[in-house]
Amino acid sequence: MNVLKIAIQKNGRLSENSKKLLEECGIKFSNGISVLKTTAQNFPVELLFLRDDDIPQYVEQQVADIGILGENVVFEKNKDVNIIEQLGFAGCRLSIAIPKEETYTGPGYLMNKKVATSYPKILSDFLKKNNITAEIEEISGSVEIAPGIGLADAVCDIVSSGSTLLTNGLKEVETILKSQAIIIGNKNLSKAKQDILASLLFRIRAVKNAKENKYILLNAPESAVEKICAILPGMKSPTIVPLVEKGWCSLHSVVKEDEFWERINQLREAGAEGILVIPIEKMIL
Ligand code: PRP
Ligand code: ZN
């Protein structure tokens, strides 16, 4: 039987959300999760729990068929894999940070300095692009402590909330790249595996769309309907239900969540009342 092998991060920023995404797709994993892998009960996939840094190579070699991991790792490892889908979670940036009391003068600040990082390839590309000669100190973890123990003058590391930098007396001075969780895939998947991947992606997109959109219900005088539809461009053809009160109706539609927040005041000025915004669980376009 054909099974799609999915590699996810074993421990770290992406682990929980990667598993959650698959569960939201209706895929059930047995509770007795072994440390290395688990098979889904109701969908032909198998989960492999790996170090994120190893995932690109394993996908290239087809130890795993696809992998869920940060773009940052994919760009750094630069393996021969397909980039399949951006997932919109685990947003972060790869940045240069320096001790907070120092004054940053631009990339030239790094000239002849020592920079600690787990991202030597991306950092060296950045330095080259800016014609900077600097020493790269490659370390695999706890990069943020390097300046404090005299190992480096600066770091190039992942920043998410910024709290790691803060607690280590560092400040972010330059963003080199922005990153989010993505799916990568082996380039030679069999037809059967491609089919499983296609149905998995169908589910993932339904979950993703649902998160970005909300179901909205509001009451408005019939005379205001046209204006309200113009305020919410996503509201192309809303359902309109008459209310018992004459001249009033209830309007139902789907809107982008951010669009809604930007326009809430305009909506109320246009006469909308009793506005309800409801989460959507799955959305198939
Ligand atoms: C990164 C980075 C910091 C932390 C920053 O680790 O190395 O330790 O996240 O997050 P914060 O700004 O919210 O404090 P990541 O999980 O990317 O790395 P790993 O896979 O190498 O553990
Ligand atoms: Zn890692």
Side-chain angles (χ1 to χ4, degrees), residues 9 11-12 51-54 72-73 118-119 140:
Q9 191 186 29
N11 277 310
R51 284 195 57 206
D52 60 349
D53 311 60
D54 297 333
N72 49 311
V73 178
S118 309
Y119 296 85
S140 59

Side-chain angles (χ1 to χ4, degrees), residues 87-102:
L87 296 172
F89 66 84
C92 65
R93 32 196 205 275
L94 182 65
S95 295
I96 303 281
I98 63 171
K100 66 173 187 310
E101 58 282 357
E102 296 285 319

Side-chain angles (χ1 to χ4, degrees), residues 146-182:
I149 58 171
L151 185 66
D153 306 295
V155 301
C156 168
D157 199 13
I158 292 300
V159 184
S160 173
S161 65
S163 71
T164 302
L165 292 187
L166 201 67
T167 52
N168 287 281
L170 301 172
K171 63 178 176 190
E172 186 179 6
V173 291
E174 189 95 51
T175 302
I176 298 186
L177 104 105
K178 288 210 166 100
S179 166
Q180 60 173 296
I182 57 169

Side-chain angles (χ1 to χ4, degrees), residues 86 117 186 208 251:
Q86 296 191 313
T117 190
N186 178 272
K208 223 169 78 180
L251 229 125

